[in-house]
Amino acid sequence: MTKFLLIVAALAGSATAFSPVAVKQSSTALKGAMVGGEGPEPMPFSSANTSVGFDPAGFVERAPEWQNWFREAELKHGRAAMLATVGFVLPEFMRIPGAQFSFDAIPKVIDAHDALPDSMIQIFGWISFLEAVSFPALANMNNYDRAPGDFGFDPMGLLPEDPEKRKAMQLKELKNGRLAMIAIGGMVAGASVTGHGFPYLP
C-alpha cells in the first residue's frame, strides 16, 4: 500500500510539468512574460503545435493573479525532483555509513521508505520546516520585487549577471526541472513494478 501511495504522489507531482505559466494563444496578456513561455519547441498535443503559451488546463487564463505562485510551485517541484532523481539513483551505487543503510540491510532503494521510518520522519520534518519559512514570501509574492523561485540563495555564484545569460540559465533550470518531475515518477513506478534497481527495467 505504501508503495502505491508513493507512486501516486510521484506521478501527481510530475503533473506540474504540464502547467507552465504562460497562457494560450487566444490570450496575449501574459504570453512571454516569464522564461519558458516563449517557445517555440514543437508540441504535438497542443492546439497550435508549439510550446508558445502552452497552458492546456488554462490555469493562468482563469487566475492571472496566481501566475507568480504557479511559477514558484513549478520551480519548487522541479528543484525537488532534480534532487530526488539524484537521491534515488546514487544509493544504488554507494551508501552513507551505518549498518541500517547498507546494501545488506536494504538491497533495493525503493524499500528504504518502509525500512527507515525514522529517517523518513527527519526528511519530512526538514521539508516541512523549509516550506514553513517560505510561507511569508509566498503569501505576499505580488507585493515584493522578487522573481518567482528567487530566494537570493546562490552561494556558488552560478547565476550570471548578464541578462541574456541569466535568462538562458533560468530556462535550463525550468526545462531540467520539468524533465526531472516526469523522470522521478517513471523511476519510482519502474522500481516498484519490476522490483529491479537502476535502470529500473524488466
Side-chain angles (χ1 to χ4, degrees), residues 41-79:
E41 294 89 347
M43 188 76 69
F45 300 109
S46 67
S47 57
N49 293 321
T50 176
S51 62
V52 176
F54 181 69
D55 184 14
F59 289 119
V60 176
E61 193 169 11
R62 293 196 308 269
E65 69 278 9
W66 285 80
Q67 182 184 24
N68 287 339
W69 188 88
F70 291 145
R71 175 49 59 90
E72 180 97 15
E74 182 177 26
L75 285 170
K76 186 177 288 187
H77 283 84
R79 290 167 179 170

Side-chain angles (χ1 to χ4, degrees), residues 92-122:
E92 297 279 3
F93 304 100
M94 59 184 298
R95 302 287 176 89
I96 59 176
Q100 69 272 33
F101 307 117
S102 67
F103 287 99
D104 292 331
I106 309 174
K108 295 183 293 185
V109 174
I110 192 68
D111 294 331
H113 181 275
D114 295 338
L116 300 168
D118 292 340
S119 298
M120 291 295 108
I121 291 172
Q122 289 185 45

Side-chain angles (χ1 to χ4, degrees), residues 76 124-139 151:
K76 186 177 288 187
F124 284 117
W126 282 109
I127 291 172
S128 300
F129 171 75
L130 292 174
E131 283 290 313
V133 298
S134 67
F135 282 166
L138 291 172
F151 290 95

